[in-house]
Amino acid sequence: MFDINDIRSQFPILDRSVYNRPLVYLDNAATSQTPRRVVDAIEKSYFETKANVHRGVFSVSQEATELMEATRTRVQKYIGAESRDEIVFTRGTTEAINLVAASYGGTFFKDGDEVILTVMEHHANIVPWQLLQNRVKIVLRPVSINEKGELDIDEYKSFFNEKTRFVAVCHTSNVLGTINPVKELIEIAHGHNVPVLVDGAQAIPHTRIDVKDLDADFYTFSSHKMYGPTGVGVLYGKLKHLSAMPPYQGGGEMIDQVSFEKTTYAEPPLKFEAGTPDFVDIAAFSLALDFLDEVGVENIAAHEKELTEYATKRMIAEIPGIRLFGTAEKKCGVISFLLGHAHHYDTGMLLDKLGIAVRTGHHCAQPLMRYLGIEGTVRASFAVYNTIEEVDTFINALKRVNAMLNG
Ligand code: PLP
């Protein structure tokens, strides 16, 4: 499919070691590593085109603006949006969801309205709706999952009633790896005239997203999970929604005319981009999309699937007492587990001493942890540059750690 050595050579961090062992980086769901071309683009911006965007009449400012705005068009094409005005740059998925909750929810929801989400949501898709509850007494209705970690579609359908105002659901779970049937979920919601926000943070690094085909009202994601720079996220919103929504924050860039008596606002997307944007990183994000296109997200997904299936099979066969969380038929390259009753933190610490970076804890999904009756898990998550040999190193390390903690 692709030359893994060539891919790895583009990520200098993969050459480093930890405790004198080669780093095996398996925390890609938290953030993925960044290829050289993206970092080169950042350096080039700082050295050659750093000037504030949108305001300058001088050449360097115009060049910086063009680089940033070219990325907006690049993102529009990448996700199949109708218009580049539907692409709002944010700091990340978290800010994008906060924006929708505060602006859309704060304007169009009324007391007693219901918002459907799922028990597998990241805090980023729970807490913004709870903050909104300080302004409007909305009711959150989380949909349950089965023992494999798959959404209960019948329950989802049964939640719709005349009070249902909105659906906010993750495309892919960051803990269970479950890929939710978002197209179907959107179709059902639209059948009740209910708009849908999809939290795509965990899906878009390995899924071809076409927002028009999905018919999503809002779709959110973060560059840093897509081999891109930190500090950049995207809120896709249908123009009819973005046009009807009030600004989220006030300041420069988002205005039309300002006076002490009355201020009018810019049209979307600038209406939602108050202040100087992270124009350097936004411009470099384009290079991460080039990388994804060059390798092919379908190839990335296939590679990660192979690693996940291989690792899961070996874990079940070779690690006595292993407990896996999330075994959905459709899942991405995330494996959440516990070594018997050993604490996830101890497992993570010992794996680190063996050069292996995994995430431990509640993964910003405490309601899901409560639902599963656990405090946290250890999570290994794969990316395009991970290898079968790294999985072998991981499994061998896991065997040692298991013997230490449970032997
Ligand atoms: N939603 C999901 C499913 C996530 O996994 C994450 C990050 O882990 C987020 C939202 C928040 O993303 P960010 O921290 O980039 O805003």
Side-chain angles (χ1 to χ4, degrees), residues 29-31 91-97 120-125 170-175 199-202 220-225 232 363-364 379:
T31 197
R91 282 193 301 119
T93 306
T94 303
E95 189 177 43
I97 300 175
M120 67 175 94
E121 297 310 318
H122 188 281
H123 295 165
N125 197 25
C170 62
H171 194 158
T172 299
S173 159
N174 66 314
V175 177
D199 167 1
Q202 293 295 340
T220 61
F221 50 98
S222 302
S223 148
H224 71 94
K225 294 185 196 289
V232 178
H363 314 296
C364 297
R379 182 186 70 188

Side-chain angles (χ1 to χ4, degrees), residues 12-318:
I13 196 172
L14 300 177
D15 290 334
R16 68 160 286 180
S17 51
V18 172
Y19 295 109
N20 289 324
R21 290 167 190 272
L23 168 67
V24 176
Y25 184 78
L26 301 180
D27 194 20
N28 297 286
T31 197
S32 52
Q33 298 302 337
T34 307
R36 191 183 291 280
R37 71 179 84 178
V38 173
V39 183
D40 286 348
I42 293 170
E43 186 186 89
K44 195 164 162 24
S45 277
Y46 277 113
F47 290 166
E48 294 177 26
T49 54
K50 185 161 180 253
N52 212 329
V53 289
H54 296 141
R55 293 186 271 253
V57 292
F58 57 96
S59 303
V60 182
S61 169
Q62 284 176 13
E63 284 170 31
T65 305
E66 273 163 29
L67 284 170
M68 171 175 161
E69 291 305 322
T71 303
R72 201 186 302 276
T73 308
R74 183 80 177 83
V75 172
Q76 176 212 343
K77 303 265 186 279
Y78 193 80
I79 62 170
E82 180 90 28
S83 157
R84 62 192 304 285
D85 296 338
E86 296 177 318
I87 308 301
V88 178
F89 287 118
T90 64
R91 282 193 301 119
T93 306
T94 303
E95 189 177 43
I97 300 175
N98 273 278
L99 191 166
V100 176
S103 172
Y104 187 94
T107 306
F108 299 115
F109 296 175
K110 53 185 191 312
D111 289 354
D113 280 354
E114 296 181 2
V115 174
I116 299 177
L117 20 86
T118 79
V119 296
M120 67 175 94
E121 297 310 318
H122 188 281
H123 295 165
N125 197 25
I126 301 172
V127 185
W129 305 107
Q130 290 175 328
L131 287 173
L132 180 61
Q133 286 174 323
N134 296 327
R135 292 163 62 189
V136 199
K137 300 276 166 274
I138 56 167
V139 179
L140 303 185
R141 302 202 65 194
V143 180
S144 331
I145 51 176
N146 65 18
E147 67 291 343
K148 288 180 164 178
E150 295 162 327
L151 209 60
D152 183 339
I153 305 285
D154 289 333
E155 185 177 82
Y156 173 73
K157 287 180 184 161
S158 76
F159 275 6
F160 285 89
N161 63 52
E162 68 288 348
K163 290 187 198 145
T164 312
R165 198 62 56 221
F166 203 78
V167 172
V169 58
C170 62
H171 194 158
T172 299
S173 159
N174 66 314
V175 177
L176 306 167
T178 309
I179 301 170
N180 287 318
V182 283
K183 191 169 174 181
E184 186 187 344
L185 301 182
I186 291 169
E187 218 172 279
I188 294 165
H190 285 176
H192 296 271
N193 277 325
V194 173
V196 181
L197 175 144
V198 180
D199 167 1
Q202 293 295 340
I204 200 162
H206 23 239
T207 317
R208 178 67 59 197
I209 301 300
D210 184 328
V211 287
K212 265 203 294 196
D213 178 55
L214 288 178
D215 203 17
D217 295 277
F218 298 98
Y219 198 97
T220 61
F221 50 98
S222 302
S223 148
H224 71 94
K225 294 185 196 289
M226 308 167 67
Y227 311 103
T230 56
V232 178
V234 171
L235 166 65
Y236 158 80
K238 283 183 182 168
L239 202 52
K240 64 171 181 182
H241 295 314
L242 296 180
S243 299
M245 287 158 58
Y248 167 56
Q249 292 181 331
E253 306 264 346
M254 50 71 74
I255 50 89
D256 172 29
Q257 295 289 327
V258 179
S259 74
F260 282 110
E261 289 70 41
K262 181 176 163 56
T263 290
T264 51
Y265 308 117
E267 294 299 317
L270 293 189
K271 176 164 78 173
F272 300 104
E273 294 180 3
T276 300
D278 188 352
F279 58 88
V280 168
D281 291 304
I282 290 171
F285 180 34
S286 216
L287 281 294
L289 297 179
D290 289 352
F291 172 80
L292 282 165
D293 268 346
E294 241 173 70
V295 185
V297 275
E298 295 80 5
N299 293 331
I300 295 175
H303 175 68
E304 291 169 358
K305 187 171 193 287
E306 188 188 337
L307 297 179
T308 308
E309 286 176 358
Y310 176 70
T312 306
K313 216 156 125 188
R314 283 200 63 186
M315 284 163 95
I316 292 170
E318 298 174 43

